[in-house]
């Protein structure tokens, strides 16, 4: 239940303004190191992160594990840390170094490899709770059109059809940094309570109303579709009481 409550807070309550920034730090952990990595992060570094949250340095911290990560190349992330900041100033002008206050001998850098570090700005969301999250990455031809259509057309549709799809929450963010060829510029997320619902959604299970298909311009806005879709499960977190 606490995990579900956390996701509700992470994807709904904390994202209350366009000022909010979150950092996504992706790492690859080899199969033989996953147990040790997750134990250290969950049992030790979570406490350090919680102190940073309590001190107001960060808004929240969460570790998620990629579902079905076996066989991924070392250039592909198996885990992601998401750290929330109340404003761009908090994220960039006075960046938190809370991790430096922990016992570095308990660090997980030696048993994991950094893949990429990104910053995002939340654009919109549907509040709710759940355990599994599908992260959808894209580089639309028309970024402004993507944001506007998702907010005006797809958000109401997803909200209306929660019971049919099993979707518990939804959100959208635009890239702050880095910007370079080959990097996605938008991210959406779909939250579910059950892995089966997430997988069904991932495989485009269930039909979309023809009325929505008649209205969408996404084939023009984002002709290449999502370039990456990954199902993640929450492992550990730190949050405000």
């Amino acid at each position: 239940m606490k995990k579900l409550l956390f996701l509700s807070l992470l994807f709904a309550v904390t994202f209350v303004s366009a000022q909010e920034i979150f950092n996504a730090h992706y790492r690859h952990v080899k199969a033989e190191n996953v147990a040790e990595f997750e134990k250290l992060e969950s049992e030790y570094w979570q406490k350090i992160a919680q102190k940073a949250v309590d001190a107001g340095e960060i808004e929240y911290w969460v570790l998620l594990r990629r579902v079905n990560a076996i066989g991924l190349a070392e250039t592909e992330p198996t885990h992601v840390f998401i750290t929330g900041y109340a404003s761009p100033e908090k994220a960039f002008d006075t960046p938190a170094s809370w991790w430096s206050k922990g016992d570095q001998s308990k660090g997980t850098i030696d048993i994991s490899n950094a893949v990429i570090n990104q910053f995002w700005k939340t654009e919109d969301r549907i509040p709710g709770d759940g355990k599994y999250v599908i992260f959808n990455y894209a580089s639309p031809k028309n970024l402004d059109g993507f944001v506007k259509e998702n907010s005006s057309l797809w958000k109401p549709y997803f909200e209306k059809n929660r019971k049919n799809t099993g979707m518990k929450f939804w959100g959208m963010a635009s890239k702050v940094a880095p910007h370079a060829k080959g990097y996605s510029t938008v991210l959406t997320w779909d939250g579910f309570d059950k892995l089966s619902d997430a997988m069904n959604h991932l495989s485009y299970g269930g039909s979309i109303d023809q009325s929505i298909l008649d209205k969408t311009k996404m084939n023009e806005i984002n002709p290449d579709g999502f370039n990456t879709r990954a199902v993640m499960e929450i492992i550990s977190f730190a949050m405000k009481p």
Side-chain angles (χ1 to χ4, degrees), residues 140-152:
K141 184 178 179 180
N142 181 348
L143 178 59
D144 184 60
F146 184 94
V147 172
K148 288 181 177 177
E149 181 172 303
N150 268 276
S151 289
S152 64

Side-chain angles (χ1 to χ4, degrees), residues 39-215:
K39 182 177 181 180
L40 284 168
E41 293 294 344
S42 298
E43 296 182 5
Y44 180 74
W45 290 103
Q46 182 278 337
K47 295 180 176 63
I48 303 301
Q50 187 63 57
K51 291 181 180 179
V53 172
D54 296 340
E57 295 181 74
I58 58 178
E59 294 297 297
Y60 56 83
W61 170 93
V62 59
L63 169 64
L64 298 108
R65 177 208 299 141
R66 191 167 180 172
V67 174
N68 294 333
I70 296 175
L72 288 177
E74 291 190 17
T75 55
E76 292 288 329
T78 60
H79 294 73
V80 59
F81 294 99
I82 297 180
T83 307
Y85 298 90
S87 66
E89 290 76 17
K90 278 282 189 178
F92 304 114
D93 294 341
T94 56
S97 57
W98 57 269
W99 54 88
S100 66
K101 301 172 185 177
D103 182 349
Q104 300 305 305
S105 69
K106 298 182 184 295
T108 58
I109 293 178
D110 293 337
I111 56 173
S112 64
N113 298 319
V115 175
I116 191 171
N117 194 45
Q118 300 177 334
F119 286 90
W120 299 87
K121 181 183 75 171
T122 299
E123 298 286 355
D124 208 342
R125 77 279 183 271
I126 298 171
D129 53 40
K131 185 178 181 181
Y132 297 94
V133 189
I134 302 175
F135 289 111
N136 311 287
Y137 300 86
S139 297
K141 184 178 179 180
N142 181 348
L143 178 59
D144 184 60
F146 184 94
V147 172
K148 288 181 177 177
E149 181 172 303
N150 268 276
S151 289
S152 64
L153 182 66
W154 291 100
K155 176 185 174 181
Y157 176 77
F158 289 142
E159 198 162 26
K160 180 181 178 181
N161 289 276
R162 283 188 185 190
K163 290 184 179 180
N164 297 330
T165 63
M167 186 182 291
K168 300 298 182 181
F169 58 86
W170 170 90
M172 170 178 54
S174 59
K175 173 72 69 61
V176 175
H179 282 280
K181 185 177 181 179
Y183 285 78
S184 300
T185 56
V186 292
L187 163 66
T188 68
W189 55 87
D190 312 305
F192 300 87
D193 188 27
K194 298 190 297 183
L195 181 58
S196 58
D197 285 337
M199 289 301 187
N200 187 51
H201 185 76
L202 189 67
S203 62
Y204 297 97
S207 60
I208 298 176
D209 292 350
Q210 186 61 44
S211 60
I212 298 297
L213 296 177
D214 290 339
K215 295 176 182 178

Side-chain angles (χ1 to χ4, degrees), residues 18-36:
Q19 289 295 306
E20 290 217 329
I21 301 293
F22 65 92
N23 170 244
H25 179 64
Y26 302 84
R27 300 193 72 85
H28 179 93
V29 185
K30 292 181 179 180
E32 61 266 29
N33 295 326
V34 168
E36 181 183 3

